[in-house]
């Protein structure tokens, strides 16, 4: 927070109005392994060209994209020869480089005190934890944990979460996404497949019955309605315009005056 304040005090003040669980990894329930976002926006961009399609076409587009994505990641992971996936391997190498400058004091079989020029941290290799919280938050041993593990001749890669290993990555994308047949080949669960194409049931559009009478049409356009000249009505009783004989009030007024 102090580092944010140095850049912008207004930004730090704005951030403090929200609970830390929304912006700090340490307050998240469970383990997020360093990820603060669910990447929903990225998924929307991923299917941007399909979002306006009908729902069945959207599902088909997502299905085809996932097939291509799984195949791409399977092929990409086959070229990796490291223990960890590239991003995790890079983080591990950085931790190993920093750990070479630390001093390790051993307390017992699992607990260590790691001294660095800046601070002192407590590492417990039994619970996979460090007082800097880096090991717990990211699932990869931090530099303090790496120093403790190397001091007791442990394999640092064995203390990394399985999801970061190349084997775990390949296992995640090992399953195949089967292609979906045309709708003509769809059948209910447990239903036997048709003997041949001639037995396949074709669903036709519903029969449409034409209603009786002439179809109603709107023949007058708005422009034509505006351009039409209004018809002037004329009364045959009083020779005035604006009303008909049946609605003429002149005779009624004359009768009232005579009365």
């Amino acid at each position: 927070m102090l580092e944010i304040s140095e850049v912008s005090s207004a930004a730090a003040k704005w951030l403090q109005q929200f609970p830390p669980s929304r912006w700090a990894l340490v307050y998240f329930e469970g383990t997020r392994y360093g990820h603060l976002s669910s990447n929903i926006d990225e998924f929307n961009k991923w299917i941007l060209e399909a979002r306006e399609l009908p729902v069945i076409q959207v599902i088909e587009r997502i299905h085809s994209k996932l097939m291509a994505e799984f195949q791409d990641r399977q092929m990409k992971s086959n070229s990796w020869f490291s223990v960890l996936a590239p991003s995790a391997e890079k983080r591990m190498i950085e931790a190993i480089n920093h750990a070479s400058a630390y001093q390790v004091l051993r307390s017992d079989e699992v607990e260590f005190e790691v001294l660095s020029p800046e601070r002192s941290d407590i590492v417990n290799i039994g619970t996979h934890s460090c007082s800097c919280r880096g090991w717990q938050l990211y699932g990869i041993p931090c530099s303090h944990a790496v120093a403790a593990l190397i001091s007791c001749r442990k394999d640092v890669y064995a203390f990394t979460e399985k999801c970061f290993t190349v084997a775990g990555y390949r296992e995640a994308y090992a399953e195949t996404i089967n292609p979906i047949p045309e709708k003509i080949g769809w059948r209910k669960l447990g239903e036997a497949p048709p003997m041949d194409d001639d037995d396949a049931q074709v669903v036709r559009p519903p029969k449409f019955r034409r209603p009786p009478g002439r179809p109603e049409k709107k023949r007058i356009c708005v422009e034509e309605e505006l351009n039409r000249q209004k018809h002037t009505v004329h009364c045959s009783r009083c020779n005035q315009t604006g009303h008909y004989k049946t609605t003429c009030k002149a005779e009624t007024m004359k009768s009232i005056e005579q009365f």
Side-chain angles (χ1 to χ4, degrees), residues 49-114:
E49 70 279 4
R51 290 192 304 175
E52 303 300 328
L53 298 176
V55 62
I56 294 180
Q57 281 79 359
V58 172
I59 295 174
E60 290 176 346
R61 192 66 58 87
I62 294 175
H63 172 264
S64 61
K65 277 184 168 292
L66 286 176
M67 288 184 66
E69 191 70 20
F70 268 56
Q71 182 185 17
D72 178 68
R73 298 195 179 192
Q74 289 171 3
M75 296 178 62
K76 182 172 61 176
S77 64
N78 289 334
S79 63
W80 297 343
F81 299 98
S82 58
V83 178
L84 304 181
S87 59
E89 185 70 26
K90 179 181 178 181
R91 190 179 187 90
M92 179 65 78
I93 292 174
E94 292 176 353
I96 293 174
N97 293 334
H98 285 91
S100 60
Y102 297 163
Q103 180 184 359
V104 180
L105 302 176
R106 186 165 187 168
S107 176
D108 54 27
E109 293 296 325
V110 295
E111 195 169 53
F112 301 81
E113 181 180 1
V114 180

Side-chain angles (χ1 to χ4, degrees), residues 8 25 27 84 109 133 220:
S8 173
L25 275 175
Y27 293 103
L84 304 181
E109 293 296 325
R133 298 283 296 171
I220 300 177

Side-chain angles (χ1 to χ4, degrees), residues 71-181:
Q71 182 185 17
D72 178 68
R73 298 195 179 192
Q74 289 171 3
M75 296 178 62
K76 182 172 61 176
S77 64
N78 289 334
S79 63
W80 297 343
F81 299 98
S82 58
V83 178
L84 304 181
S87 59
E89 185 70 26
K90 179 181 178 181
R91 190 179 187 90
M92 179 65 78
I93 292 174
E94 292 176 353
I96 293 174
N97 293 334
H98 285 91
S100 60
Y102 297 163
Q103 180 184 359
V104 180
L105 302 176
R106 186 165 187 168
S107 176
D108 54 27
E109 293 296 325
V110 295
E111 195 169 53
F112 301 81
E113 181 180 1
V114 180
L115 304 176
S116 64
E118 300 83 12
R119 53 187 292 172
S120 172
D121 290 279
I122 306 300
V123 175
N124 190 310
I125 62 175
T127 59
H128 292 203
S129 62
C130 177
S131 58
C132 77
R133 298 283 296 171
W135 196 356
Q136 298 93 302
L137 292 177
Y138 295 97
I140 302 173
C142 60
S143 59
H144 313 108
V146 168
L149 291 168
I150 292 176
S151 69
C152 59
R153 302 180 184 275
K154 299 286 186 181
D155 183 10
V156 295
Y157 292 98
F159 290 81
T160 305
E161 292 294 332
K162 181 183 177 181
C163 60
F164 293 109
T165 63
V166 173
Y169 188 97
R170 290 172 180 170
E171 184 180 352
Y173 296 99
E175 297 294 334
T176 57
I177 299 180
N178 298 318
I180 299 177

Side-chain angles (χ1 to χ4, degrees), residues 54 56-57 60 180-187 200-203:
I56 294 180
Q57 281 79 359
E60 290 176 346
I180 299 177
E182 288 292 330
K183 297 178 182 178
I184 194 68
W186 292 4
R187 60 181 186 271
Q201 182 179 3
V202 179
V203 180

